Amino acid sequence: MGKSRSKKYKSARPRPTGLPSVAEALREGEAAGNGTGEPPGLAIVEKLQSASAEERECACTTLAGLVLQENGLAALLDSRLVRTLGPLLLDPSQAVREGAAGVFRNMTVGGGHDLCDHMVEEDVMTPLVALLKQVTGQLTHSQPMDMQAGVRHAGSDPDRDPVWRILYQAVHLLWNLCESTSTAVCIFNKESLLPTLLLCLRQRDRNLPLALAGAQCLQTVTEDNAEVLQQFSEDALKLLEGLLMGEGGDPVDSLLLRTTVAGCIFNLKALIPAGSQSEALQAVVRVLARTLEHDIATAITSLRGMLGEQQTNNNGTADQVNGEAAGPGRPATPEQNQLPQVTRAQLDQVMSLLSAQQTALEIIANMCLPDDLFLPRLLTVQRRALLCLRNMLAVLDGEGMDAAGLVEVGSHLMALFTASGDQEFQEAVTGAVRSLLQRMAAVQVTQVGTGVTQVGTGVTRVGTGVTLIGTFLAEVAGKDAVLWVVAEALDAIFDVFGDGPQVDAVAANIGLVAKLRQISPVFKSRH
């Protein structure tokens, strides 16, 4: 930063498309704006309304690069770019439609959430929805059923078919808008665009990037969106299940797809039959675990070595490739397009793996939110499990569980006191703890009578366990605001410390009598 570089002279490059480069088009725009007082970019925007399809396509190509530049986008927004460009999403020329969708997609990347809000306010969704429905209808009715299902078909190369490319750009644009503004999600629901995303997912075997774009958009629109859940059919759920388990294709891209689908399935968990929920969530967790076990640090180190070598060879071109690297939802910058094919492929792999691991961590974070973890059904199961434990502890004989096992169970039960604020759940935990302490008291009496030498460390661990649990119960009785919890804690204290010289020593050690005297007046005042 701050370093100047000597100018490098290069021969003119051929134009494979027959169109001028971004830099050349900008220079033409500057020349056209000279003497008129118009900003250079405005002349390019005006070309969007040219009668020539080639000029409209050229203007889109120029703008697609310009909106990714630091100051290019801000200068264009004052020219009503969104309103002018929007109709081109339905242009008679397929190349212009693809170019317009690409410009809008780049704008959502370069401008962030605020620009996405502006674009929706400027009604970009109206032509976008029309384009998506048009393309979906075209592909659904014109392609054989095996192609709709994603099976390879002779002569159907999606990279060469402009309709598939238009759909790819449009779905990416839809995803970025829905990610940024709830208004776009509401329009998605109202216009029933789910079939478009399902069409993309069915292309997994013949067009993995399109399937990935559809999955990423689907994950966004299914999050906290009860309305879209009503549009899902059993076949759609089976499609997602198949994608979650599917293998093949590029390993990293396939991993990103399955990770994203895992997020979709988690968002749709309310639709999964109760008998299948556990199995489905286990499959989701397995995919997330596989994603996170990849060594991203090694991949990044390897990429840095390749970029360093490229920097040496190209006098710094590669050092311009920073955190803005291309990836899912982010188009490539001109600097990245100058990288060798091998380096570019490695960069894409690293970005895909980073996206997969970021997605996996976000899903895990959502899975661990209290509102999701402690669903009503799960609380019911936990309460019943605690009741079973309470009854089992009550009927265990002296050999049913050793002292160490009882202490371990006690530590787990104490941790559950703060796991949920549900009153019935806390009551179930308290009941289980009380039953456990009664069993520990019985074990103490038996073992103390037979002598310390016979039970070894067992007595020590039981004494330690009683000390910890006794301290904990005294704190609960003195601080808990719920009266019945205080009463249960006191009953448990009386059960544990009711008999035996060892528990007397523990009670004296923790100052139990003094603590109970402090609790007594408070307890009486609340009675």
Side-chain angles (χ1 to χ4, degrees):
M1 190 169 180
K3 295 181 180 179
S4 60
R5 301 185 183 275
S6 58
K7 184 175 180 180
K8 296 181 70 177
Y9 296 93
K10 299 181 181 179
S11 60
R13 296 183 178 181
R15 300 175 181 172
T17 63
L19 299 175
S21 68
V22 172
E24 290 169 332
L26 283 176
R27 285 195 294 269
E28 292 176 6
E30 290 175 359
N34 287 340
T36 65
E38 294 180 348
L42 185 57
I44 300 173
V45 174
E46 289 178 347
K47 286 187 177 182
L48 295 174
Q49 299 174 313
S50 170
S52 167
E54 185 177 1
E55 284 196 3
R56 295 196 301 273
E57 181 186 357
C58 175
C60 288
T61 302
T62 303
L63 290 171
L66 185 60
V67 296
L68 287 175
Q69 297 179 10
E70 186 173 353
N71 299 320
L73 184 57
L76 289 168
L77 289 180
D78 294 333
S79 62
R80 296 182 61 81
L81 175 61
V82 177
R83 292 280 185 175
T84 305
L85 186 63
L88 269 63
L89 290 173
L90 301 172
D91 194 271
S93 166
Q94 290 182 333
V96 173
R97 291 204 299 272
E98 181 183 355
V103 175
F104 275 132
R105 176 192 171 191
N106 287 8
M107 289 173 64
T108 61
V109 172
H113 297 309
D114 291 340
L115 180 56
C116 289
D117 287 333
H118 171 73
M119 291 169 63
V120 172
E121 290 172 1
E122 291 289 294
D123 202 25
V124 72
M125 290 295 291
T126 295
L128 176 59
V129 168
L131 174 63
L132 288 166
K133 289 187 174 182
Q134 181 188 88
V135 172
T136 303
Q138 255 183 294
L139 296 174
T140 301
H141 294 104
S142 66
Q143 306 292 350
M145 286 303 296
D146 60 344
M147 287 181 62
Q148 293 179 35
V151 179
R152 295 186 183 277
H153 191 274
S156 60
D157 186 351
D159 291 331
R160 296 184 179 181
D161 190 335
V163 180
W164 289 110
R165 297 200 306 266
I166 291 170
L167 179 60
Y168 176 77
Q169 294 288 359
V171 169
H172 258 297
L173 172 58
L174 177 66
W175 170 35
N176 291 346
L177 292 174
C178 289
E179 183 78 22
S180 299
T181 169
S182 59
T183 303
V185 177
C186 292
I187 296 174
F188 177 93
N189 294 340
K190 180 181 178 181
E191 298 293 340
S192 300
L193 294 177
L194 178 60
T196 298
L197 301 185
L198 297 179
L199 174 65
C200 295
L201 293 176
R202 291 189 178 99
Q203 312 310 312
R204 183 238 181 275
D205 290 331
R206 62 187 299 270
N207 194 341
L208 183 58
L210 178 62
L212 179 57
Q216 289 167 323
C217 187
L218 184 64
Q219 184 186 11
T220 294
V221 298
T222 54
E223 186 174 357
D224 299 326
N225 185 1
E227 187 173 344
V228 77
L229 301 190
Q230 301 173 6
Q231 303 177 24
F232 269 85
S233 65
E234 184 177 348
D235 287 342
L237 291 175
K238 288 182 178 178
L239 172 63
L240 291 175
E241 181 182 350
L243 291 171
L244 183 70
M245 304 301 179
E247 299 283 352
D250 180 83
V252 176
D253 286 342
S254 179
L255 182 69
L256 177 55
L257 175 63
R258 285 185 284 117
T259 304
T260 307
V261 170
C264 297
I265 291 176
F266 179 73
N267 291 343
L268 298 168
K269 59 186 177 296
L271 299 180
I272 302 174
S276 305
Q277 279 194 355
S278 176
E279 182 180 354
L281 292 178
Q282 287 179 24
V284 167
V285 170
R286 284 195 295 269
V287 169
L288 300 182
R290 184 171 179 180
T291 299
L292 294 175
E293 72 183 7
H294 279 68
D295 186 1
I296 187 63
T298 300
I300 292 176
T301 300
S302 175
L303 176 62
R304 283 177 174 170
M306 297 176 72
L307 291 175
E309 182 179 349
Q310 178 66 18
Q311 178 179 0
T312 302
N313 294 337
N314 285 1
N315 192 23
T317 299
D319 69 353
Q320 301 175 38
V321 181
N322 49 29
E324 298 299 311
R330 177 175 292 278
T333 63
E335 291 83 3
Q336 292 157 28
N337 286 327
Q338 295 178 25
L339 293 173
Q341 183 64 31
V342 175
T343 306
R344 176 69 186 277
Q346 181 72 7
L347 176 62
D348 291 342
Q349 292 277 297
V350 170
M351 293 306 298
S352 292
L353 184 54
L354 282 171
S355 296
Q357 294 191 336
Q358 177 182 338
T359 300
L361 292 172
E362 289 171 354
I363 296 170
I364 293 172
N366 290 333
M367 293 177 75
C368 294
L369 286 174
D371 289 341
D372 289 330
L373 180 60
F374 295 107
L375 303 165
R377 290 180 182 175
L378 181 56
L379 278 173
T380 300
V381 171
Q382 290 176 319
R383 287 195 298 264
R384 290 176 181 173
L386 288 166
L387 177 61
C388 290
L389 177 61
R390 174 181 178 176
N391 294 339
M392 289 173 62
L393 289 170
V395 299
L396 281 175
D397 56 25
E399 299 178 355
M401 184 176 290
D402 60 15
L406 291 171
V407 173
E408 184 176 356
V409 171
S411 64
H412 286 299
L413 288 175
M414 286 190 292
L416 289 177
F417 266 106
T418 57
S420 172
D422 181 78
Q423 182 172 332
E424 293 184 13
F425 177 82
Q426 290 183 339
E427 185 176 359
V429 175
T430 304
V433 168
R434 185 175 180 185
S435 184
L436 172 69
L437 294 178
Q438 290 172 343
R439 176 54 47 195
M440 291 180 71
V443 171
Q444 282 181 349
V445 172
T446 302
Q447 290 183 336
V448 169
T450 58
V452 175
T453 57
Q454 294 182 12
V455 292
T457 59
V459 171
T460 304
R461 292 198 65 179
V462 170
T464 304
V466 172
T467 299
L468 294 174
I469 295 176
T471 302
F472 174 77
L473 289 172
E475 291 179 357
V476 170
K479 296 179 181 180
D480 203 288
V482 182
L483 191 60
W484 67 263
V485 174
V486 176
E488 286 286 344
L490 289 172
D491 282 345
I493 289 173
F494 301 150
D495 288 338
V496 174
F497 294 92
D499 190 21
Q502 182 178 352
V503 292
D504 288 344
V506 172
N509 184 48
I510 65 175
L512 181 61
V513 175
K515 291 179 180 178
L516 292 176
R517 285 174 177 168
Q518 294 176 355
I519 294 171
S520 180
V522 178
F523 188 67
K524 288 180 179 179
S525 66
R526 297 172 58 188
H527 182 65

